[in-house]
Coordinates of all heavy atoms in Angstrom, one line a residue:
M1 N 116.6 95.5 59.7 CA 115.8 94.8 60.7 C 116.1 95.3 62.1 O 115.2 95.5 62.9 CB 115.9 93.3 60.5 CG 115.2 92.5 61.5 SD 113.5 92.3 60.8 CE 112.9 91.2 61.8
R2 N 117.4 95.4 62.3 CA 117.8 95.8 63.7 C 117.3 97.2 64.0 O 116.9 97.5 65.1 CB 119.3 95.7 63.7 CG 119.9 96.0 65.1 CD 121.4 95.9 65.0 NE 121.8 94.6 65.5 CZ 123.0 94.3 65.8 NH1 124.0 95.1 65.6 NH2 123.3 93.1 66.3
K3 N 117.3 98.1 63.0 CA 116.9 99.5 63.2 C 115.4 99.5 63.5 O 114.9 100.3 64.3 CB 117.2 100.3 61.9 CG 118.6 100.6 61.8 CD 118.9 101.5 60.6 CE 120.4 101.7 60.4 NZ 120.7 102.5 59.3
I4 N 114.6 98.6 62.8 CA 113.2 98.6 63.0 C 112.9 98.1 64.5 O 112.0 98.7 65.1 CB 112.5 97.6 62.0 CG1 112.6 98.2 60.6 CG2 111.1 97.4 62.4 CD1 112.1 97.3 59.5
I5 N 113.6 97.1 64.9 CA 113.4 96.6 66.3 C 113.8 97.7 67.3 O 113.1 97.9 68.3 CB 114.2 95.3 66.5 CG1 113.7 94.2 65.7 CG2 114.2 95.0 68.0 CD1 114.5 92.9 65.7
L6 N 114.9 98.4 67.1 CA 115.3 99.5 68.0 C 114.3 100.6 68.0 O 114.0 101.2 69.0 CB 116.7 100.0 67.6 CG 117.9 99.1 67.9 CD1 119.2 99.7 67.4 CD2 118.0 98.9 69.4
A7 N 113.8 100.9 66.8 CA 112.8 102.0 66.7 C 111.5 101.6 67.4 O 110.9 102.4 68.1 CB 112.5 102.3 65.2
S8 N 111.1 100.3 67.3 CA 109.9 99.8 67.9 C 110.1 99.8 69.4 O 109.2 100.2 70.2 CB 109.6 98.4 67.5 OG 109.3 98.4 66.1
M9 N 111.3 99.4 69.9 CA 111.5 99.5 71.3 C 111.5 100.9 71.9 O 111.0 101.2 73.0 CB 112.9 98.8 71.6 CG 112.8 97.3 71.4 SD 114.4 96.4 71.7 CE 114.6 96.6 73.4
A10 N 112.1 101.8 71.1 CA 112.1 103.2 71.5 C 110.7 103.8 71.6 O 110.3 104.5 72.5 CB 113.0 104.0 70.6
A11 N 109.9 103.4 70.6 CA 108.5 103.9 70.6 C 107.7 103.3 71.8 O 106.9 104.0 72.4 CB 107.8 103.5 69.3
A12 N 108.0 102.0 72.1 CA 107.3 101.4 73.2 C 107.7 102.0 74.5 O 106.9 102.3 75.4 CB 107.6 99.9 73.2
A13 N 109.0 102.3 74.7 CA 109.5 103.0 75.9 C 108.9 104.4 76.0 O 108.5 104.8 77.1 CB 111.0 103.0 75.9
F14 N 108.8 105.1 74.9 CA 108.2 106.4 75.0 C 106.7 106.3 75.3 O 106.2 107.1 76.1 CB 108.4 107.1 73.6 CG 107.8 108.5 73.5 CD1 108.5 109.5 74.2 CD2 106.6 108.7 72.9 CE1 107.9 110.8 74.2 CE2 106.1 110.0 72.9 CZ 106.7 111.0 73.5
S15 N 106.0 105.4 74.8 CA 104.6 105.2 75.1 C 104.4 104.9 76.6 O 103.5 105.4 77.3 CB 104.0 104.0 74.3 OG 104.0 104.4 73.0
L16 N 105.3 104.0 77.2 CA 105.2 103.7 78.6 C 105.5 104.9 79.5 O 104.9 105.1 80.5 CB 106.2 102.5 78.9 CG 105.8 101.2 78.4 CD1 106.9 100.2 78.7 CD2 104.5 100.7 79.0
T17 N 106.5 105.7 79.0 CA 106.8 106.9 79.8 C 105.7 107.9 79.8 O 105.3 108.5 80.8 CB 108.1 107.6 79.2 OG1 109.1 106.6 79.2 CG2 108.5 108.8 80.0
A18 N 105.1 108.1 78.6 CA 103.9 109.0 78.5 C 102.7 108.5 79.3 O 102.1 109.2 80.0 CB 103.5 109.1 77.0
C19 N 102.5 107.2 79.3 CA 101.4 106.6 80.1 C 101.7 106.8 81.6 O 100.8 107.1 82.4 CB 101.3 105.1 79.8 SG 100.0 104.3 80.7
S20 N 103.0 106.6 82.0 CA 103.4 106.8 83.4 C 103.2 108.2 83.8 O 102.7 108.5 84.9 CB 104.8 106.3 83.5 OG 105.2 106.6 84.9
E21 N 103.5 109.2 82.9 CA 103.3 110.6 83.2 C 101.8 110.9 83.4 O 101.4 111.6 84.3 CB 103.9 111.5 82.1 CG 105.4 111.5 82.2 CD 106.0 112.3 81.1 OE1 105.3 113.1 80.4 OE2 107.2 112.1 80.8
K22 N 101.0 110.3 82.5 CA 99.5 110.5 82.7 C 99.0 109.9 84.0 O 98.2 110.5 84.7 CB 98.8 109.8 81.5 CG 98.9 110.5 80.2 CD 98.2 109.8 79.1 CE 98.4 110.4 77.7 NZ 97.7 109.7 76.7
T23 N 99.5 108.8 84.4 CA 99.1 108.2 85.6 C 99.6 109.0 86.8 O 98.8 109.2 87.7 CB 99.8 106.8 85.8 OG1 99.3 106.0 84.7 CG2 99.3 106.1 87.1
Q24 N 100.8 109.6 86.7 CA 101.3 110.4 87.8 C 100.4 111.7 87.9 O 100.1 112.2 89.0 CB 102.7 110.8 87.6 CG 103.7 109.6 87.8 CD 105.1 110.0 87.5 OE1 105.4 111.1 87.0 NE2 106.0 109.1 87.8
D25 N 100.1 112.3 86.7 CA 99.2 113.5 86.7 C 97.9 113.2 87.3 O 97.3 114.0 88.1 CB 99.1 114.0 85.3 CG 100.4 114.6 84.7 OD1 101.3 114.9 85.6 OD2 100.5 114.8 83.5
A26 N 97.3 112.1 86.9 CA 96.0 111.7 87.5 C 96.1 111.5 89.0 O 95.2 111.9 89.7 CB 95.5 110.4 86.8
A27 N 97.1 110.8 89.4 CA 97.3 110.6 90.9 C 97.5 111.9 91.6 O 96.9 112.1 92.7 CB 98.5 109.7 91.1
A28 N 98.2 112.9 91.0 CA 98.4 114.2 91.6 C 97.1 114.9 91.7 O 96.7 115.6 92.7 CB 99.4 115.0 90.9
D29 N 96.3 114.8 90.6 CA 95.0 115.5 90.6 C 94.1 114.9 91.7 O 93.3 115.6 92.4 CB 94.3 115.4 89.2 CG 95.0 116.2 88.2 OD1 95.8 117.1 88.5 OD2 94.8 116.0 87.0
T30 N 94.1 113.6 91.8 CA 93.3 112.9 92.8 C 93.7 113.3 94.2 O 92.8 113.6 95.1 CB 93.4 111.3 92.6 OG1 93.0 111.0 91.3 CG2 92.6 110.6 93.7
A31 N 95.0 113.4 94.4 CA 95.5 113.8 95.8 C 95.1 115.2 96.1 O 94.6 115.5 97.2 CB 97.0 113.6 95.8
A32 N 95.2 116.1 95.1 CA 94.8 117.5 95.3 C 93.3 117.6 95.6 O 92.8 118.4 96.4 CB 95.1 118.3 94.0
S33 N 92.5 116.8 94.8 CA 91.1 116.8 95.1 C 90.7 116.3 96.4 O 89.9 116.9 97.1 CB 90.4 115.9 94.0 OG 89.0 115.9 94.2
A34 N 91.4 115.3 96.9 CA 91.2 114.7 98.2 C 91.6 115.8 99.3 O 90.8 115.9 100.3 CB 92.0 113.4 98.4
A35 N 92.6 116.5 99.1 CA 93.0 117.5 100.0 C 92.0 118.6 100.1 O 91.7 119.1 101.1 CB 94.4 118.1 99.6
D36 N 91.5 119.0 98.9 CA 90.4 120.1 98.9 C 89.2 119.6 99.6 O 88.6 120.4 100.4 CB 90.1 120.4 97.4 CG 91.2 121.2 96.7 OD1 92.1 121.7 97.4 OD2 91.2 121.2 95.5
D37 N 88.8 118.3 99.4 CA 87.6 117.8 100.1 C 87.9 117.8 101.6 O 86.9 118.1 102.4 CB 87.3 116.4 99.6 CG 86.8 116.4 98.1 OD1 86.5 117.4 97.6 OD2 86.8 115.3 97.5
A38 N 89.0 117.4 102.0 CA 89.3 117.3 103.5 C 89.3 118.7 104.0 O 88.8 118.9 105.1 CB 90.7 116.7 103.7
A39 N 89.8 119.7 103.3 CA 89.8 121.1 103.8 C 88.4 121.6 103.9 O 88.0 122.3 104.9 CB 90.6 122.0 102.9
A40 N 87.5 121.3 102.9 CA 86.1 121.7 103.0 C 85.4 121.0 104.1 O 84.6 121.7 104.8 CB 85.5 121.3 101.6
A41 N 85.7 119.8 104.4 CA 85.1 119.1 105.5 C 85.5 119.7 106.8 O 84.7 119.9 107.7 CB 85.4 117.6 105.4
G42 N 86.8 120.0 106.9 CA 87.3 120.7 108.1 C 86.6 122.0 108.3 O 86.3 122.4 109.5
D43 N 86.4 122.8 107.3 CA 85.8 124.1 107.4 C 84.3 123.9 107.8 O 83.8 124.7 108.7 CB 85.8 124.9 106.0 CG 87.2 125.3 105.7 OD1 88.1 125.4 106.6 OD2 87.4 125.7 104.5
A44 N 83.7 122.9 107.3 CA 82.3 122.7 107.6 C 82.2 122.3 109.1 O 81.3 122.7 109.8 CB 81.7 121.6 106.7
A45 N 83.1 121.5 109.6 CA 83.1 121.0 111.0 C 83.3 122.2 111.9 O 82.7 122.4 112.9 CB 84.1 120.0 111.2
A46 N 84.3 123.1 111.5 CA 84.6 124.3 112.3 C 83.3 125.2 112.4 O 83.0 125.8 113.4 CB 85.8 125.0 111.7
D47 N 82.7 125.4 111.2 CA 81.5 126.2 111.2 C 80.4 125.6 112.1 O 79.7 126.3 112.8 CB 80.9 126.4 109.8 CG 81.9 127.3 108.9 OD1 82.7 128.0 109.5 OD2 81.7 127.2 107.7
A48 N 80.2 124.3 112.0 CA 79.2 123.7 112.8 C 79.5 123.8 114.3 O 78.6 124.0 115.1 CB 79.1 122.2 112.4
A49 N 80.8 123.7 114.7 CA 81.2 123.8 116.1 C 81.0 125.2 116.6 O 80.5 125.4 117.7 CB 82.7 123.4 116.2
A50 N 81.3 126.2 115.7 CA 81.0 127.6 116.1 C 79.5 127.9 116.3 O 79.1 128.6 117.2 CB 81.6 128.5 115.0
G51 N 78.7 127.3 115.4 CA 77.3 127.4 115.5 C 76.8 126.8 116.8 O 75.9 127.4 117.5
A52 N 77.3 125.6 117.1 CA 76.9 125.0 118.4 C 77.3 125.8 119.6 O 76.5 125.9 120.5 CB 77.5 123.5 118.4
A53 N 78.5 126.3 119.5 CA 78.9 127.2 120.7 C 78.1 128.4 120.8 O 77.7 128.7 122.0 CB 80.4 127.6 120.4
D54 N 77.7 129.0 119.7 CA 76.8 130.2 119.8 C 75.4 129.8 120.4 O 74.9 130.5 121.2 CB 76.6 130.8 118.4 CG 77.9 131.5 117.9 OD1 78.8 131.8 118.8 OD2 78.0 131.8 116.7
A55 N 74.9 128.7 119.9 CA 73.6 128.2 120.4 C 73.7 127.9 121.9 O 72.8 128.2 122.7 CB 73.2 127.0 119.6
T56 N 74.8 127.3 122.4 CA 75.0 127.0 123.8 C 75.1 128.3 124.6 O 74.4 128.4 125.7 CB 76.2 126.1 124.0 OG1 76.1 124.9 123.2 CG2 76.4 125.8 125.4
A57 N 75.8 129.2 124.1 CA 75.9 130.5 124.8 C 74.5 131.2 124.9 O 74.2 131.7 126.0 CB 76.9 131.4 124.1
D58 N 73.8 131.2 123.8 CA 72.4 131.7 123.8 C 71.5 131.0 124.8 O 70.8 131.7 125.6 CB 71.8 131.7 122.4 CG 72.5 132.6 121.4 OD1 73.2 133.5 121.9 OD2 72.3 132.5 120.2
A59 N 71.6 129.7 124.9 CA 70.8 128.9 125.8 C 71.2 129.2 127.2 O 70.3 129.3 128.1 CB 70.9 127.4 125.5
A60 N 72.5 129.4 127.5 CA 72.9 129.7 128.8 C 72.4 131.1 129.2 O 72.0 131.3 130.4 CB 74.4 129.6 128.9
Q61 N 72.5 132.0 128.3 CA 71.9 133.4 128.6 C 70.5 133.3 128.9 O 70.0 133.9 129.9 CB 72.2 134.3 127.4 CG 71.7 135.7 127.6 CD 72.5 136.5 128.7 OE1 73.7 136.3 128.8 NE2 71.8 137.2 129.5
D62 N 69.7 132.6 128.1 CA 68.3 132.4 128.4 C 68.0 131.8 129.7 O 67.1 132.2 130.5 CB 67.6 131.6 127.3 CG 67.6 132.3 125.9 OD1 67.8 133.5 125.9 OD2 67.3 131.6 124.9
A63 N 68.8 130.8 130.1 CA 68.6 130.1 131.4 C 68.9 131.1 132.5 O 68.2 131.1 133.5 CB 69.5 128.9 131.4
G64 N 70.0 131.8 132.3 CA 70.3 132.8 133.3 C 69.2 133.9 133.5 O 68.9 134.2 134.6
N65 N 68.6 134.3 132.4 CA 67.5 135.3 132.5 C 66.3 134.6 133.2 O 65.7 135.3 134.0 CB 67.1 135.7 131.1 CG 68.2 136.6 130.5 OD1 69.0 137.2 131.1 ND2 68.1 136.8 129.2
A66 N 66.1 133.4 132.9 CA 64.9 132.7 133.6 C 65.2 132.6 135.1 O 64.3 132.8 135.9 CB 64.7 131.3 133.0
V67 N 66.4 132.2 135.5 CA 66.7 132.1 136.9 C 66.6 133.5 137.6 O 66.0 133.6 138.7 CB 68.1 131.5 137.1 CG1 68.6 131.7 138.5 CG2 68.2 130.1 136.7
E68 N 67.1 134.5 136.9 CA 67.0 135.9 137.5 C 65.5 136.3 137.6 O 65.2 136.8 138.7 CB 67.7 136.9 136.5 CG 67.7 138.3 137.1 CD 68.4 139.3 136.1 OE1 68.6 138.9 134.9 OE2 68.6 140.4 136.6
G69 N 64.7 136.0 136.7 CA 63.3 136.3 136.8 C 62.6 135.5 137.9 O 61.8 136.1 138.7
T70 N 63.0 134.3 138.1 CA 62.4 133.5 139.2 C 62.9 134.0 140.6 O 62.1 134.1 141.5 CB 62.9 132.0 139.1 OG1 62.4 131.5 137.8 CG2 62.3 131.1 140.2
V71 N 64.2 134.4 140.7 CA 64.7 134.9 141.9 C 64.0 136.2 142.2 O 63.6 136.5 143.4 CB 66.2 135.1 141.9 CG1 66.7 135.9 143.0 CG2 66.9 133.7 141.8
N72 N 63.8 137.1 141.2 CA 63.1 138.4 141.4 C 61.7 138.2 141.9 O 61.2 138.8 142.8 CB 63.2 139.2 140.2 CG 64.6 139.8 139.9 OD1 65.4 139.8 140.8 ND2 64.8 140.1 138.6
A73 N 61.0 137.2 141.2 CA 59.6 136.9 141.6 C 59.5 136.4 143.0 O 58.6 136.7 143.8 CB 59.0 135.9 140.6
A74 N 60.5 135.5 143.4 CA 60.5 135.0 144.8 C 60.7 136.1 145.8 O 60.1 136.2 146.9 CB 61.5 133.9 144.9
G75 N 61.6 137.0 145.4 CA 61.9 138.2 146.3 C 60.7 139.1 146.5 O 60.4 139.5 147.6
D76 N 60.0 139.3 145.4 CA 58.8 140.1 145.4 C 57.7 139.4 146.3 O 57.1 140.1 147.1 CB 58.2 140.4 144.0 CG 59.1 141.3 143.2 OD1 60.0 141.9 143.8 OD2 58.9 141.3 142.0
A77 N 57.6 138.1 146.1 CA 56.6 137.4 146.9 C 57.0 137.4 148.4 O 56.1 137.6 149.3 CB 56.5 135.9 146.4
A78 N 58.2 137.3 148.7 CA 58.7 137.4 150.1 C 58.4 138.8 150.7 O 58.0 138.9 151.9 CB 60.2 137.0 150.3
A79 N 58.7 139.8 149.9 CA 58.4 141.2 150.4 C 56.9 141.4 150.6 O 56.5 142.0 151.6 CB 58.9 142.2 149.4
E80 N 56.1 140.9 149.7 CA 54.6 141.0 149.9 C 54.2 140.2 151.2 O 53.3 140.7 151.9 CB 53.9 140.5 148.7 CG 54.0 141.4 147.5 CD 53.3 140.9 146.2 OE1 52.4 140.0 146.4 OE2 53.7 141.3 145.1
A81 N 54.8 139.1 151.4 CA 54.4 138.3 152.6 C 54.8 139.0 153.8 O 54.1 139.1 154.8 CB 55.1 136.9 152.5
G82 N 56.0 139.6 153.8 CA 56.5 140.4 154.9 C 55.6 141.6 155.2 O 55.2 141.9 156.4
D83 N 55.1 142.3 154.1 CA 54.2 143.4 154.3 C 52.9 142.9 154.9 O 52.3 143.6 155.8 CB 54.0 144.1 153.0 CG 55.2 144.8 152.5 OD1 56.2 145.1 153.3 OD2 55.2 145.2 151.2
K84 N 52.4 141.8 154.4 CA 51.1 141.3 154.9 C 51.2 140.9 156.4 O 50.3 141.2 157.2 CB 50.7 140.1 154.0 CG 49.4 139.5 154.3 CD 48.3 140.5 153.9 CE 46.9 139.8 154.0 NZ 45.8 140.7 153.7
I85 N 52.4 140.3 156.7 CA 52.6 139.9 158.1 C 52.6 141.2 159.0 O 52.0 141.2 160.1 CB 53.9 139.1 158.3 CG1 53.7 137.7 157.7 CG2 54.3 139.0 159.8 CD1 55.0 136.9 157.5
A86 N 53.3 142.2 158.6 CA 53.4 143.4 159.3 C 52.0 144.1 159.5 O 51.6 144.5 160.5 CB 54.3 144.4 158.7
E87 N 51.2 144.0 158.4 CA 49.8 144.6 158.4 C 49.0 143.8 159.4 O 48.2 144.4 160.2 CB 49.3 144.5 157.0 CG 47.9 145.1 156.8 CD 47.4 144.9 155.4 OE1 48.2 145.2 154.5 OE2 46.2 144.5 155.3
E88 N 49.0 142.5 159.3 CA 48.2 141.7 160.2 C 48.6 141.8 161.7 O 47.8 141.8 162.6 CB 48.2 140.2 159.8 CG 47.5 140.0 158.4 CD 46.1 140.4 158.4 OE1 45.3 140.1 159.4 OE2 45.6 141.0 157.4
T89 N 49.9 141.9 161.9 CA 50.4 142.1 163.2 C 49.9 143.4 163.8 O 49.5 143.5 165.0 CB 52.0 142.1 163.3 OG1 52.4 140.8 162.7 CG2 52.5 142.3 164.6
A90 N 50.0 144.5 163.0 CA 49.5 145.8 163.4 C 48.0 145.7 163.8 O 47.5 146.3 164.8 CB 49.7 146.8 162.4
K91 N 47.2 145.0 163.0 CA 45.8 144.8 163.3 C 45.5 144.1 164.6 O 44.7 144.5 165.4 CB 45.1 144.1 162.1 CG 44.9 144.9 160.9 CD 44.1 144.0 159.9 CE 44.0 144.6 158.5 NZ 43.4 143.7 157.5
A92 N 46.4 143.0 164.8 CA 46.2 142.2 166.0 C 46.6 143.1 167.2 O 45.9 143.0 168.3 CB 47.1 141.0 165.9
E93 N 47.6 143.9 167.1 CA 48.0 144.8 168.2 C 46.9 145.8 168.5 O 46.6 146.1 169.7 CB 49.3 145.4 168.0 CG 50.5 144.5 168.0 CD 51.8 145.1 167.6 OE1 51.8 146.3 167.1 OE2 52.9 144.5 167.7
A94 N 46.3 146.3 167.5 CA 45.2 147.3 167.7 C 44.0 146.7 168.3 O 43.4 147.3 169.2 CB 44.8 147.9 166.3
N95 N 43.7 145.4 168.0 CA 42.6 144.7 168.6 C 42.9 144.4 170.1 O 42.0 144.5 170.9 CB 42.3 143.4 167.9 CG 41.6 143.6 166.6 OD1 40.9 144.6 166.4 ND2 41.7 142.6 165.7
D96 N 44.2 144.1 170.4 CA 44.6 143.9 171.8 C 44.4 145.1 172.6 O 44.1 145.0 173.8 CB 46.0 143.4 171.9 CG 46.1 141.9 171.3 OD1 45.1 141.2 171.2 OD2 47.3 141.5 171.0
K97 N 44.6 146.3 172.1 CA 44.6 147.5 172.8 C 43.1 147.9 173.1 O 42.9 148.7 174.0 CB 45.3 148.6 172.1 CG 46.8 148.5 172.1 CD 47.4 149.6 171.3 CE 48.9 149.4 171.3 NZ 49.6 150.4 170.6
Q98 N 42.2 147.4 172.4 CA 40.8 147.8 172.6 C 40.2 147.1 173.7 O 40.1 146.5 174.5 CB 39.9 147.5 171.4 CG 40.3 148.4 170.2 CD 39.4 148.0 169.0 OE1 38.7 147.1 169.0 NE2 39.6 148.7 168.0

């Protein structure tokens, strides 16, 4: 009887150990999966940040081009106005001489 009880206790202890190992393996798998998910989320965030930076740089370039175009147009308009003033001044001086 004593041998049966000892054998039963040994079997129970072995079962608990095996169960504990399964639990540890499952916990390790869960932790590894969580780490993989966190790494994937970090990669996605980095990709999104890089995309946003590229879009911002493109927008700044476009804005710079627009400002340059506006400045050039204003310069051209000022030059045309200066030419027109010079032309009208010459006409007025010619009229004064007559």
Side-chain angles (χ1 to χ4, degrees):
M1 177 86 171
R2 187 180 260 191
K3 290 182 182 181
I4 294 176
I5 293 174
L6 286 175
S8 296
M9 290 178 68
F14 180 74
S15 295
L16 289 175
T17 301
C19 181
S20 178
E21 287 176 16
K22 288 180 185 178
T23 302
Q24 288 176 356
D25 291 343
D29 290 345
T30 300
S33 178
D36 291 344
D37 291 347
D43 290 344
D47 289 345
D54 290 343
T56 301
D58 290 345
Q61 180 66 41
D62 292 345
N65 290 340
V67 168
E68 181 181 15
T70 301
V71 168
N72 289 338
D76 293 344
E80 288 178 21
D83 292 344
K84 187 69 171 173
I85 291 170
E87 182 182 315
E88 293 300 319
T89 301
K91 286 180 186 177
E93 288 174 351
N95 284 339
D96 287 342
K97 290 181 182 179
Q98 291 179 356

